Coordinates of all heavy atoms in Angstrom, one line a residue:
Chain A
Q65 N -142.8 -97.2 -153.1 CA -142.7 -95.9 -152.4 C -141.8 -96.0 -151.1 O -141.7 -97.0 -150.5 CB -144.1 -95.4 -152.0 CG -144.9 -96.4 -151.2 CD -145.3 -96.0 -149.8 OE1 -144.7 -95.1 -149.2 NE2 -146.2 -96.7 -149.2
T66 N -141.2 -94.8 -150.8 CA -140.3 -94.8 -149.6 C -140.9 -93.8 -148.6 O -140.2 -93.4 -147.7 CB -138.9 -94.3 -150.0 OG1 -139.0 -93.0 -150.7 CG2 -138.2 -95.3 -151.0
K67 N -142.2 -93.4 -148.8 CA -142.8 -92.5 -147.9 C -143.2 -93.1 -146.6 O -143.5 -92.4 -145.6 CB -144.0 -91.8 -148.5 CG -143.7 -91.0 -149.8 CD -143.1 -89.7 -149.4 CE -144.1 -88.7 -148.8 NZ -143.5 -87.4 -148.6
G68 N -143.4 -94.4 -146.6 CA -143.9 -95.1 -145.4 C -145.4 -95.0 -145.2 O -145.9 -95.2 -144.2
H69 N -146.0 -94.6 -146.3 CA -147.5 -94.4 -146.3 C -148.2 -95.8 -146.4 O -147.7 -96.7 -147.1 CB -147.9 -93.5 -147.4 CG -147.6 -92.1 -147.3 ND1 -147.6 -91.2 -148.3 CD2 -147.2 -91.4 -146.2 CE1 -147.2 -90.0 -147.8 NE2 -147.0 -90.1 -146.6
D70 N -149.4 -95.9 -145.7 CA -150.2 -97.1 -145.8 C -151.0 -97.1 -147.1 O -151.3 -98.1 -147.6 CB -151.1 -97.2 -144.6 CG -150.3 -97.6 -143.4 OD1 -149.4 -98.5 -143.5 OD2 -150.6 -97.1 -142.3
R71 N -151.4 -95.9 -147.5 CA -152.4 -95.9 -148.6 C -151.8 -95.7 -150.0 O -150.9 -94.8 -150.1 CB -153.4 -94.7 -148.4 CG -154.2 -94.9 -147.1 CD -155.2 -93.8 -146.9 NE -156.1 -94.1 -145.7 CZ -157.1 -93.4 -145.4 NH1 -157.5 -92.4 -146.1 NH2 -157.8 -93.8 -144.3
M72 N -152.2 -96.5 -150.9 CA -151.6 -96.4 -152.3 C -152.8 -96.4 -153.3 O -153.8 -97.0 -153.0 CB -150.6 -97.5 -152.6 CG -149.4 -97.4 -151.6 SD -148.1 -98.5 -152.1 CE -147.4 -97.8 -153.5
Y73 N -152.5 -95.8 -154.5 CA -153.6 -95.6 -155.5 C -153.0 -95.8 -156.8 O -151.9 -95.5 -157.1 CB -154.2 -94.2 -155.4 CG -154.5 -93.7 -154.0 CD1 -153.5 -93.2 -153.2 CD2 -155.8 -93.9 -153.4 CE1 -153.8 -92.8 -151.9 CE2 -156.1 -93.4 -152.1 CZ -155.1 -92.9 -151.4 OH -155.3 -92.5 -150.1
W74 N -153.9 -96.2 -157.8 CA -153.6 -96.1 -159.2 C -154.6 -95.3 -159.9 O -155.8 -95.5 -159.8 CB -153.5 -97.5 -159.8 CG -152.2 -98.3 -159.7 CD1 -152.0 -99.2 -158.8 CD2 -151.1 -98.0 -160.4 NE1 -150.7 -99.6 -158.9 CE2 -150.1 -98.9 -159.9 CE3 -150.7 -97.2 -161.5 CZ2 -148.8 -99.0 -160.4 CZ3 -149.4 -97.2 -162.0 CH2 -148.5 -98.1 -161.5
Y75 N -154.1 -94.3 -160.7 CA -154.9 -93.4 -161.5 C -154.6 -93.6 -163.0 O -153.4 -93.9 -163.3 CB -154.7 -92.0 -161.1 CG -155.4 -91.5 -159.8 CD1 -154.7 -91.7 -158.6 CD2 -156.6 -91.0 -159.8 CE1 -155.3 -91.2 -157.4 CE2 -157.2 -90.5 -158.6 CZ -156.5 -90.7 -157.4 OH -157.1 -90.3 -156.2
R76 N -155.5 -93.2 -163.8 CA -155.3 -93.2 -165.2 C -155.7 -91.8 -165.7 O -156.6 -91.2 -165.3 CB -156.2 -94.2 -165.9 CG -156.4 -94.0 -167.4 CD -157.3 -95.1 -168.0 NE -157.6 -94.8 -169.3 CZ -158.0 -95.6 -170.2 NH1 -158.2 -96.9 -169.9 NH2 -158.2 -95.3 -171.5
Q77 N -154.9 -91.3 -166.7 CA -155.2 -90.0 -167.3 C -155.1 -90.1 -168.8 O -154.1 -90.6 -169.4 CB -154.1 -88.9 -166.8 CG -154.5 -87.5 -167.3 CD -153.6 -86.5 -166.7 OE1 -152.4 -86.7 -166.5 NE2 -154.2 -85.3 -166.4
D78 N -156.2 -89.7 -169.4 CA -156.3 -89.6 -170.9 C -156.0 -88.2 -171.3 O -156.2 -87.2 -170.5 CB -157.7 -90.1 -171.3 CG -157.8 -91.6 -171.0 OD1 -157.3 -92.4 -171.7 OD2 -158.5 -91.9 -170.0
P79 N -155.6 -88.0 -172.5 CA -155.1 -86.7 -173.0 C -156.2 -85.6 -172.8 O -157.4 -85.8 -173.1 CB -154.9 -86.9 -174.5 CG -154.5 -88.3 -174.6 CD -155.3 -89.0 -173.6
G80 N -155.8 -84.5 -172.1 CA -156.7 -83.4 -171.9 C -157.7 -83.6 -170.8 O -158.6 -82.7 -170.6
L81 N -157.7 -84.7 -170.1 CA -158.6 -85.0 -169.1 C -158.0 -85.1 -167.7 O -156.8 -85.1 -167.6 CB -159.4 -86.3 -169.4 CG -160.1 -86.4 -170.7 CD1 -160.7 -87.8 -170.9 CD2 -161.2 -85.3 -170.8
G82 N -158.8 -85.1 -166.7 CA -158.4 -85.2 -165.3 C -158.0 -86.7 -165.0 O -158.1 -87.5 -165.9
L83 N -157.6 -86.9 -163.8 CA -157.3 -88.3 -163.4 C -158.5 -89.1 -162.9 O -159.3 -88.5 -162.2 CB -156.2 -88.2 -162.3 CG -154.8 -87.9 -162.7 CD1 -154.6 -86.4 -163.0 CD2 -153.8 -88.3 -161.6
R84 N -158.5 -90.3 -163.3 CA -159.6 -91.2 -162.8 C -159.0 -92.4 -162.0 O -158.0 -93.0 -162.4 CB -160.4 -91.7 -164.0 CG -161.2 -90.7 -164.7 CD -162.0 -91.2 -165.9 NE -161.2 -91.7 -167.0 CZ -161.6 -92.5 -168.0 NH1 -162.9 -92.8 -168.0 NH2 -160.8 -92.8 -168.9
L85 N -159.6 -92.7 -160.9 CA -159.1 -93.7 -160.0 C -159.5 -95.1 -160.5 O -160.6 -95.4 -160.8 CB -159.8 -93.5 -158.6 CG -159.3 -94.4 -157.5 CD1 -157.8 -94.2 -157.2 CD2 -160.1 -94.2 -156.3
I86 N -158.4 -96.0 -160.5 CA -158.6 -97.3 -161.0 C -158.8 -98.3 -159.8 O -159.8 -99.0 -159.7 CB -157.4 -97.8 -161.8 CG1 -157.1 -96.8 -163.0 CG2 -157.6 -99.2 -162.4 CD1 -155.8 -97.1 -163.7
Y87 N -157.8 -98.3 -158.9 CA -157.8 -99.1 -157.7 C -157.1 -98.4 -156.6 O -156.3 -97.5 -156.8 CB -157.1 -100.4 -157.9 CG -157.9 -101.6 -158.4 CD1 -158.0 -101.9 -159.8 CD2 -158.7 -102.4 -157.5 CE1 -158.7 -103.0 -160.2 CE2 -159.4 -103.4 -158.0 CZ -159.5 -103.7 -159.3 OH -160.2 -104.8 -159.8
Y88 N -157.5 -98.7 -155.3 CA -156.8 -98.2 -154.2 C -156.7 -99.2 -153.1 O -157.4 -100.2 -153.0 CB -157.4 -96.9 -153.7 CG -158.8 -97.0 -153.2 CD1 -159.1 -97.1 -151.8 CD2 -159.9 -97.0 -154.1 CE1 -160.4 -97.1 -151.4 CE2 -161.2 -97.0 -153.6 CZ -161.4 -97.1 -152.3 OH -162.7 -97.2 -151.8
S89 N -155.7 -99.0 -152.2 CA -155.4 -99.9 -151.1 C -155.0 -99.1 -149.9 O -154.2 -98.3 -149.9 CB -154.2 -100.8 -151.5 OG -153.8 -101.6 -150.4
F90 N -155.7 -99.4 -148.8 CA -155.4 -98.7 -147.5 C -154.4 -99.4 -146.7 O -153.9 -98.8 -145.7 CB -156.7 -98.5 -146.7 CG -157.6 -97.4 -147.2 CD1 -158.8 -97.1 -146.7 CD2 -157.1 -96.6 -148.3 CE1 -159.6 -96.1 -147.1 CE2 -157.9 -95.5 -148.7 CZ -159.2 -95.3 -148.2
D91 N -154.2 -100.7 -146.9 CA -153.1 -101.4 -146.3 C -152.9 -102.7 -147.0 O -153.5 -102.9 -148.0 CB -153.3 -101.6 -144.8 CG -154.5 -102.5 -144.5 OD1 -154.7 -103.6 -145.2 OD2 -155.2 -102.2 -143.6
V92 N -151.9 -103.5 -146.6 CA -151.5 -104.6 -147.4 C -152.6 -105.6 -147.6 O -152.7 -106.3 -148.7 CB -150.3 -105.4 -146.7 CG1 -150.0 -106.7 -147.4 CG2 -149.1 -104.5 -146.6
K93 N -153.6 -105.7 -146.7 CA -154.7 -106.7 -146.9 C -155.9 -106.1 -147.5 O -157.0 -106.7 -147.5 CB -155.0 -107.3 -145.5 CG -153.8 -108.1 -145.0 CD -154.2 -108.7 -143.6 CE -153.0 -109.5 -143.0 NZ -153.4 -110.1 -141.7
D94 N -155.8 -104.8 -147.9 CA -157.0 -104.1 -148.4 C -156.9 -103.7 -149.8 O -155.9 -103.1 -150.2 CB -157.2 -102.8 -147.5 CG -158.4 -102.0 -148.0 OD1 -159.5 -102.4 -147.7 OD2 -158.1 -100.9 -148.6
I95 N -157.8 -104.1 -150.7 CA -157.9 -103.7 -152.1 C -159.3 -103.3 -152.4 O -160.3 -103.9 -152.0 CB -157.5 -104.9 -153.0 CG1 -156.1 -105.4 -152.7 CG2 -157.7 -104.5 -154.5 CD1 -155.0 -104.5 -153.1
N96 N -159.4 -102.1 -153.1 CA -160.7 -101.6 -153.4 C -160.8 -101.1 -154.9 O -159.8 -100.6 -155.4 CB -161.0 -100.4 -152.5 CG -161.0 -100.7 -151.1 OD1 -161.9 -101.3 -150.5 ND2 -159.9 -100.4 -150.4
K97 N -161.9 -101.3 -155.5 CA -162.1 -100.8 -156.9 C -162.4 -99.3 -156.9 O -163.1 -98.8 -156.0 CB -163.2 -101.6 -157.5 CG -163.0 -103.0 -157.8 CD -164.1 -103.7 -158.5 CE -163.8 -105.2 -158.8 NZ -165.0 -105.8 -159.5
G98 N -161.8 -98.7 -157.9 CA -162.2 -97.3 -158.1 C -163.2 -97.2 -159.2 O -164.0 -98.1 -159.4
E99 N -163.3 -96.0 -159.8 CA -164.4 -95.8 -160.8 C -164.2 -96.5 -162.1 O -165.2 -96.7 -162.8 CB -164.6 -94.3 -161.0 CG -163.3 -93.6 -161.5 CD -163.6 -92.1 -161.8 OE1 -164.5 -91.7 -162.5 OE2 -162.8 -91.3 -161.2
I100 N -163.0 -96.9 -162.4 CA -162.8 -97.5 -163.8 C -161.9 -98.8 -163.6 O -160.9 -98.9 -164.3 CB -162.2 -96.5 -164.8 CG1 -160.9 -95.9 -164.2 CG2 -163.1 -95.4 -165.1 CD1 -160.0 -95.3 -165.3
S101 N -162.3 -99.7 -162.8 CA -161.5 -100.9 -162.5 C -161.6 -102.0 -163.6 O -160.7 -102.9 -163.6 CB -161.8 -101.5 -161.2 OG -163.2 -101.8 -161.1
D102 N -162.6 -102.0 -164.4 CA -162.8 -103.1 -165.4 C -161.6 -103.2 -166.3 O -161.1 -102.2 -166.9 CB -164.1 -102.8 -166.2 CG -165.3 -103.1 -165.4 OD1 -165.2 -103.6 -164.3 OD2 -166.4 -102.7 -165.9
G103 N -161.1 -104.4 -166.5 CA -159.9 -104.7 -167.3 C -158.6 -104.6 -166.6 O -157.6 -104.8 -167.2
Y104 N -158.7 -104.2 -165.3 CA -157.4 -104.0 -164.5 C -157.5 -104.9 -163.3 O -158.6 -105.3 -162.8 CB -157.3 -102.6 -164.1 CG -157.2 -101.6 -165.2 CD1 -158.3 -100.9 -165.6 CD2 -156.0 -101.3 -165.8 CE1 -158.3 -99.9 -166.6 CE2 -155.9 -100.3 -166.8 CZ -157.1 -99.7 -167.2 OH -157.0 -98.7 -168.2
S105 N -156.3 -105.3 -162.7 CA -156.2 -105.9 -161.4 C -155.0 -105.3 -160.7 O -154.2 -104.7 -161.4 CB -156.1 -107.4 -161.6 OG -155.0 -107.8 -162.2
V106 N -155.0 -105.5 -159.4 CA -153.8 -105.0 -158.7 C -153.4 -106.0 -157.7 O -154.1 -106.9 -157.3 CB -154.2 -103.7 -157.9 CG1 -154.4 -102.5 -158.9 CG2 -155.4 -103.9 -157.0
S107 N -152.2 -105.8 -157.2 CA -151.6 -106.6 -156.1 C -150.8 -105.7 -155.2 O -150.0 -104.9 -155.6 CB -150.7 -107.6 -156.7 OG -150.0 -108.4 -155.7
R108 N -151.1 -105.8 -153.9 CA -150.3 -105.1 -152.9 C -149.4 -106.0 -152.2 O -149.7 -106.7 -151.3 CB -151.3 -104.4 -151.9 CG -150.6 -103.5 -150.9 CD -150.3 -102.2 -151.4 NE -149.6 -101.3 -150.5 CZ -150.1 -100.5 -149.6 NH1 -151.5 -100.4 -149.6 NH2 -149.4 -99.8 -148.9
Q109 N -148.2 -106.1 -152.7 CA -147.2 -107.1 -152.3 C -146.6 -106.8 -150.9 O -146.1 -107.7 -150.2 CB -146.1 -107.2 -153.3 CG -146.5 -107.6 -154.7 CD -146.7 -106.4 -155.6 OE1 -147.2 -105.4 -155.2 NE2 -146.4 -106.6 -156.9
A110 N -146.6 -105.5 -150.6 CA -146.0 -105.1 -149.3 C -146.5 -103.6 -149.1 O -147.1 -103.1 -150.0 CB -144.4 -105.1 -149.4
Q111 N -146.2 -103.1 -147.9 CA -146.6 -101.7 -147.7 C -146.1 -100.8 -148.8 O -146.7 -99.9 -149.2 CB -146.1 -101.2 -146.3 CG -146.7 -99.9 -146.0 CD -145.8 -99.1 -145.0 OE1 -144.6 -99.2 -145.0 NE2 -146.5 -98.4 -144.1
A112 N -144.9 -101.1 -149.2 CA -144.2 -100.2 -150.2 C -144.5 -100.5 -151.6 O -144.0 -99.7 -152.5 CB -142.7 -100.2 -149.9
K113 N -145.2 -101.5 -151.9 CA -145.3 -101.9 -153.4 C -146.7 -102.2 -153.7 O -147.5 -102.9 -153.0 CB -144.4 -103.2 -153.6 CG -143.0 -103.0 -153.4 CD -142.2 -104.2 -153.8 CE -140.7 -104.0 -153.6 NZ -140.1 -103.0 -154.5
F114 N -147.1 -101.6 -154.9 CA -148.5 -101.8 -155.4 C -148.4 -101.8 -156.9 O -148.0 -100.9 -157.5 CB -149.3 -100.5 -154.9 CG -150.8 -100.6 -155.1 CD1 -151.5 -101.8 -154.9 CD2 -151.5 -99.5 -155.4 CE1 -152.9 -101.8 -155.0 CE2 -152.9 -99.5 -155.5 CZ -153.6 -100.7 -155.3
S115 N -148.8 -103.0 -157.5 CA -148.7 -103.1 -158.9 C -150.0 -103.2 -159.6 O -151.0 -103.7 -159.0 CB -147.8 -104.4 -159.2 OG -148.5 -105.5 -158.7
L116 N -150.1 -102.7 -160.8 CA -151.3 -102.7 -161.6 C -151.1 -103.6 -162.8 O -150.1 -103.5 -163.5 CB -151.6 -101.3 -162.1 CG -152.7 -101.1 -163.0 CD1 -154.1 -101.3 -162.3 CD2 -152.7 -99.7 -163.7
S117 N -152.0 -104.5 -163.1 CA -151.9 -105.4 -164.2 C -153.1 -105.2 -165.2 O -154.2 -105.0 -164.8 CB -151.9 -106.9 -163.8 OG -150.8 -107.2 -163.0
L118 N -152.7 -105.3 -166.5 CA -153.7 -105.3 -167.5 C -153.7 -106.8 -168.0 O -152.7 -107.2 -168.6 CB -153.4 -104.4 -168.6 CG -153.6 -102.9 -168.4 CD1 -152.6 -102.3 -167.4 CD2 -153.5 -102.1 -169.7
E119 N -154.7 -107.5 -167.8 CA -154.6 -109.0 -168.1 C -154.6 -109.2 -169.6 O -153.9 -110.1 -170.0 CB -155.9 -109.7 -167.5 CG -155.9 -109.6 -165.9 CD -154.6 -110.2 -165.3 OE1 -154.1 -111.2 -165.9 OE2 -154.2 -109.7 -164.3
S120 N -155.3 -108.4 -170.3 CA -155.4 -108.6 -171.8 C -155.5 -107.2 -172.3 O -156.7 -106.7 -172.5 CB -156.5 -109.5 -172.2 OG -156.6 -109.6 -173.6
A121 N -154.4 -106.5 -172.6 CA -154.4 -105.1 -173.0 C -155.2 -104.9 -174.3 O -155.2 -105.7 -175.2 CB -153.0 -104.6 -173.2
I122 N -156.0 -103.7 -174.3 CA -156.7 -103.3 -175.5 C -156.3 -101.8 -175.8 O -155.9 -101.1 -174.9 CB -158.2 -103.4 -175.2 CG1 -158.7 -102.6 -174.0 CG2 -158.6 -104.9 -175.1 CD1 -160.2 -102.7 -173.8
P123 N -156.5 -101.4 -177.0 CA -156.1 -100.1 -177.4 C -156.6 -98.9 -176.6 O -155.9 -97.9 -176.3 CB -156.5 -100.0 -178.9 CG -156.4 -101.4 -179.4 CD -156.9 -102.2 -178.2
N124 N -157.9 -99.0 -176.1 CA -158.4 -97.9 -175.3 C -157.9 -97.9 -173.9 O -158.3 -97.0 -173.1 CB -160.0 -97.9 -175.4 CG -160.6 -98.9 -174.5 OD1 -159.9 -99.7 -173.8 ND2 -161.9 -98.9 -174.5
Q125 N -156.9 -98.7 -173.6 CA -156.2 -98.6 -172.3 C -154.9 -97.8 -172.5 O -154.1 -97.7 -171.6 CB -155.9 -100.0 -171.7 CG -157.2 -100.7 -171.2 CD -156.9 -102.1 -170.7 OE1 -156.2 -102.9 -171.3 NE2 -157.5 -102.4 -169.5
T126 N -154.7 -97.3 -173.7 CA -153.6 -96.4 -174.0 C -153.8 -95.1 -173.2 O -154.8 -94.5 -173.3 CB -153.5 -96.1 -175.4 OG1 -153.1 -97.3 -176.2 CG2 -152.5 -95.0 -175.7
A127 N -152.9 -94.8 -172.3 CA -153.1 -93.7 -171.4 C -151.8 -93.5 -170.6 O -150.8 -94.2 -170.7 CB -154.3 -93.9 -170.4
L128 N -151.9 -92.4 -169.7 CA -150.8 -92.2 -168.8 C -151.3 -92.7 -167.4 O -152.4 -92.3 -167.0 CB -150.5 -90.7 -168.7 CG -149.3 -90.1 -168.0 CD1 -148.0 -90.8 -168.5 CD2 -149.2 -88.6 -168.2
Y129 N -150.5 -93.5 -166.8 CA -150.9 -94.1 -165.5 C -150.0 -93.6 -164.4 O -148.8 -93.5 -164.5 CB -150.7 -95.6 -165.6 CG -151.7 -96.3 -166.5 CD1 -151.5 -96.4 -167.9 CD2 -152.9 -96.8 -166.0 CE1 -152.4 -96.9 -168.7 CE2 -153.9 -97.4 -166.8 CZ -153.6 -97.4 -168.2 OH -154.6 -98.0 -169.0
F130 N -150.7 -93.2 -163.3 CA -150.0 -92.6 -162.1 C -150.3 -93.5 -160.9 O -151.4 -93.8 -160.6 CB -150.4 -91.2 -161.9 CG -150.0 -90.2 -162.9 CD1 -150.8 -89.7 -163.8 CD2 -148.6 -89.8 -162.9 CE1 -150.4 -88.8 -164.8 CE2 -148.2 -88.9 -163.8 CZ -149.1 -88.4 -164.8
C131 N -149.3 -93.7 -160.1 CA -149.4 -94.3 -158.8 C -149.2 -93.1 -157.8 O -148.5 -92.2 -158.0 CB -148.3 -95.3 -158.6 SG -148.1 -96.0 -156.9
A132 N -149.9 -93.3 -156.7 CA -149.9 -92.2 -155.6 C -149.9 -92.9 -154.3 O -150.4 -94.0 -154.1 CB -151.0 -91.2 -155.8
T133 N -149.4 -92.2 -153.3 CA -149.5 -92.6 -151.9 C -150.1 -91.5 -151.0 O -150.0 -90.3 -151.4 CB -148.2 -93.0 -151.3 OG1 -147.4 -91.9 -151.1 CG2 -147.4 -93.9 -152.3
S134 N -150.6 -91.8 -149.9 CA -151.0 -90.8 -148.9 C -150.9 -91.4 -147.5 O -151.0 -92.6 -147.3 CB -152.4 -90.3 -149.2 OG -153.4 -91.3 -148.8
D135 N -150.7 -90.5 -146.5 CA -150.6 -90.9 -145.2 C -152.1 -91.1 -144.6 O -153.0 -90.7 -145.2 CB -149.9 -89.9 -144.3 CG -150.5 -88.6 -144.2 OD1 -151.2 -88.1 -145.2 OD2 -150.5 -88.0 -143.2

Side-chain angles (χ1 to χ4, degrees):
Chain A
Q65 54 116 344
T66 58
K67 297 284 288 185
H69 289 165
D70 287 319
R71 299 184 173 189
M72 298 187 73
Y73 314 84
W74 276 103
Y75 284 88
R76 164 181 172 160
Q77 187 172 36
D78 294 283
L81 300 179
L83 282 76
R84 292 183 291 169
L85 182 64
I86 307 172
Y87 270 96
Y88 62 99
S89 169
F90 281 176
D91 63 42
V92 175
K93 298 180 180 180
D94 177 73
I95 299 290
N96 304 282
K97 293 182 177 181
E99 60 180 302
I100 54 164
S101 59
D102 287 349
Y104 302 95
S105 63
V106 291
S107 174
R108 186 80 185 267
Q109 301 94 324
Q111 186 203 39
K113 296 184 181 296
F114 191 38
S115 59
L116 174 72
S117 294
L118 286 69
E119 297 301 326
S120 180
I122 56 177
N124 76 2
Q125 290 179 312
T126 293
L128 192 53
Y129 290 85
F130 291 104
C131 174
T133 73
S134 72
D135 64 325

